[in-house]
Amino acid sequence: MDIGTVMNTLRDPAGVPAQPVVFQILMVLTWVLHIAFVHLALGAAGLAIFAFHRRRHGPHWERLSLALTKVAKVAVSLLIVLGVGPLLFTQVIYDPQWYTSNVLSGRWAIAFIFTLIVAYCCWFAFYHANRAGARRYIGVYAWIALALFCLDGLIMHALSYQALLPQRWMDWYAPGGVVDTRGAALHAIQWPRYVFIMGLSVPGIGLFLIAYTHYFAVRADYEAKWLDFVRTLGRRLARWGFALSIVPMLAWQAALPAGSGLLTDPLGWLIVATLAAMALWMRGDKDTTHGYLPLAGGVALLGALAIWREVIRVHYLRPLGYDVQTYKVHVDWPSTVLFFATLAGIGGLVGGFYLLLLYRSGRTQGIYTADRSVSRMGTGAVAVLGVWIAVFLAYGIAISVRDTFY
Ligand code: HEM
């Protein structure tokens, strides 16, 4: 049996409830959110540790370390929550590849969860102890956390990359013809891809710091000297981070399979050009543009990267006979409508309300009082939540009753 037939046979016989392209787009979009918070968490954690060890060089470093320790704490929780989106969509259209890859490295897939828990606990220990006059040894917790976060990224990378190499699955499952069910190895790692994607944390935290200075510039308790310090550091990290990222990106380009057509695909080179353009844009230490624009540029770059990963996946799998567009479709309108209504209502209105509230209250010194538009949005958000819970329960009960009695 050829590998294409194997992959197509491993698909869920129930099919998918809407056109596969819908899931493909959602997978790409949700991965952008996931990886943006991976970059924020790793960048903030790395810089918090660096600043922690430089505390003696001035009060700004201590303040930076304390602030970024909190940022990393929140960003890790968000990267985990936001990882669920692409995980679900990958499992829907690339289920044969994702599950096989996970089973082939089963111990690592399980270790991923435990190491993430240990890492997050260590980060909390550092967060708890990192205050003015903290002892130097508490930095060990932070180092352990950062190392484990990087290991988790490596596991994620290997699971993604092994899924692209179905022609090698049998060698990994039964090396030399002897079945090995331990799942004890990470079988394939493409270091340039891993280093490039993870390394974007450096310019990523730079862009975050630039946006931070713009955000807090309206508050009197954030002195100009402090904001200058943060902005200068942010621009340097962004400039050097983007410039240095070109190296692993080119190495990744060079590692793409010959004859796949990927090397001549303009998207990969557009990413290289964007890295160079971003590095040039961040020259100098003074803001020459609106403070949020560089961050928007970074998110656009991640969008291109997310599409590039998908283009690469299609180029690896299609010649072997796997095409997501041929997935069996059993259109299920009620669940599709419920999903998009949830996305718009809960994600849009409720999520939008929280974001707006946080954005405005954070920029206010002292007590924040919501204006009429924010209050109305809050009322709308509560109403939407009520309707959503009612519809969700009613729909579930109706289906259960139908399945039980008819
Ligand atoms: C510290 C923790 C984590 C780090 C550093 C991390 C990092 C990464 C990286 C670097 C990739 C891209 C791999 C590649 O394309 O080569 C990735 C992909 C991915 N991550 Fe994470 N991740 C973390 C946690 C999570 C968690 C908790 C989830 C799920 C809840 C998750 C879900 C995913 C998914 C679904 C993909 C894409 C897989 C695919 O496209 O087939 N990640 N992650």
Side-chain angles (χ1 to χ4, degrees):
M1 209 191 281
D2 73 288
I3 193 68
T5 313
V6 171
M7 285 192 283
N8 289 311
T9 312
L10 284 170
R11 280 174 167 176
D12 185 347
V16 291
Q19 289 305 322
V21 68
V22 173
F23 299 99
Q24 212 171 8
I25 293 170
L26 288 168
M27 185 179 68
V28 167
L29 289 180
T30 51
W31 187 79
V32 173
L33 294 175
H34 169 57
I35 207 67
F37 280 93
V38 166
H39 291 150
L40 182 59
L42 295 180
L47 191 53
I49 297 174
F50 181 76
F52 175 76
H53 290 299
R54 279 186 74 87
R55 283 171 303 164
R56 292 208 183 87
H57 291 82
H60 284 339
W61 288 106
E62 179 158 272
R63 186 170 176 181
L64 188 69
S65 177
L66 297 182
L68 290 182
T69 304
K70 285 187 204 160
V71 171
K73 180 195 72 172
V74 176
V76 172
S77 76
L78 284 167
L79 83 83
I80 295 172
V81 173
L82 293 167
V84 177
L87 184 60
L88 296 182
F89 296 122
T90 275
Q91 287 170 357
V92 171
I93 48 176
Y94 290 112
D95 45 338
Q97 293 81 8
W98 182 254
Y99 289 126
T100 308
S101 181
N102 273 255
V103 169
L104 285 168
S105 298
R107 288 190 186 181
W108 289 94
I110 293 170
F112 170 78
I113 305 196
F114 288 104
T115 49
L116 192 50
I117 292 173
V118 173
Y120 209 10
C121 290
C122 285
W123 193 261
F124 263 91
F126 179 63
Y127 163 70
H128 179 71
N130 189 9
R131 50 197 74 234
R135 306 273 291 276
R136 210 180 137 78
Y137 80 90
I138 63 152
V140 171
Y141 293 117
W143 279 108
I144 295 175
L146 184 59
L148 289 177
F149 289 146
C150 291
L151 174 68
D152 290 332
L154 187 68
I155 298 173
M156 271 297 134
H157 161 73
L159 295 179
S160 306
Y161 186 51
Q162 287 171 187
L164 304 183
L165 305 168
Q167 67 279 35
R168 296 176 58 192
W169 290 348
M170 267 317 281
D171 295 336
W172 298 333
Y173 174 64
V178 183
V179 172
D180 177 358
T181 55
R182 290 174 306 147
L186 289 179
H187 301 282
I189 295 172
Q190 196 176 39
W191 287 106
R193 173 172 168 153
Y194 170 72
V195 171
F196 172 66
I197 299 182
M198 295 286 278
L200 284 179
S201 308
V202 177
I205 191 64
L207 298 183
F208 174 82
L209 291 183
I210 297 169
Y212 171 100
T213 55
H214 181 82
Y215 180 75
F216 284 117
V218 292
R219 277 181 51 169
D221 52 340
Y222 282 72
E223 325 78 69
K225 263 191 168 175
W226 159 247
L227 294 179
D228 274 349
F229 167 79
V230 175
R231 187 184 308 105
T232 306
L233 183 64
R235 288 185 77 91
R236 282 187 190 158
L237 285 169
R239 178 162 70 243
W240 287 104
F242 280 123
L244 290 174
S245 295
I246 295 174
V247 177
M249 179 62 201
L250 287 177
W252 182 13
Q253 289 284 85
L256 293 171
S260 62
L262 282 165
L263 249 187
T264 49
D265 193 300
L267 187 54
W269 298 108
L270 180 73
I271 294 177
V272 177
T274 310
L275 292 170
M278 290 293 288
L280 288 173
W281 189 17
M282 292 299 108
R283 269 179 316 170
D285 291 340
K286 291 271 169 275
D287 260 348
T288 47
T289 172
H290 191 282
Y292 296 151
L293 261 186
L295 193 62
V299 174
L301 175 72
L302 292 185
L305 172 63
I307 299 172
W308 184 226
R309 283 178 81 250
E310 189 53 16
V311 169
I312 288 178
R313 184 168 3 216
V314 169
H315 272 78
Y316 270 76
L317 296 181
R318 198 179 276 160
L320 299 173
Y322 192 89
D323 181 356
V324 282
Q325 306 313 334
T326 61
Y327 216 116
K328 191 168 33 168
V329 179
H330 279 146
V331 178
D332 177 1
W333 280 111
S335 77
T336 307
V337 170
L338 193 62
F339 172 78
F340 280 106
T342 304
L343 197 67
I346 305 293
L349 191 61
V350 180
F353 165 66
Y354 279 131
L355 283 179
L356 190 64
L357 189 70
L358 287 173
Y359 183 83
R360 296 227 175 134
S361 59
R363 292 190 108 191
T364 310
Q365 199 178 341
I367 294 174
Y368 164 74
T369 313
D371 63 18
R372 263 171 80 89
S373 59
V374 178
S375 310
R376 279 204 189 137
M377 222 177 147
T379 313
V382 173
V384 163
L385 258 179
V387 172
W388 181 74
I389 292 170
V391 170
F392 205 81
L393 284 179
Y395 189 49
I397 291 168
I399 299 267
S400 305
V401 169
R402 195 191 63 184
D403 289 351
T404 313
F405 297 106
Y406 297 99

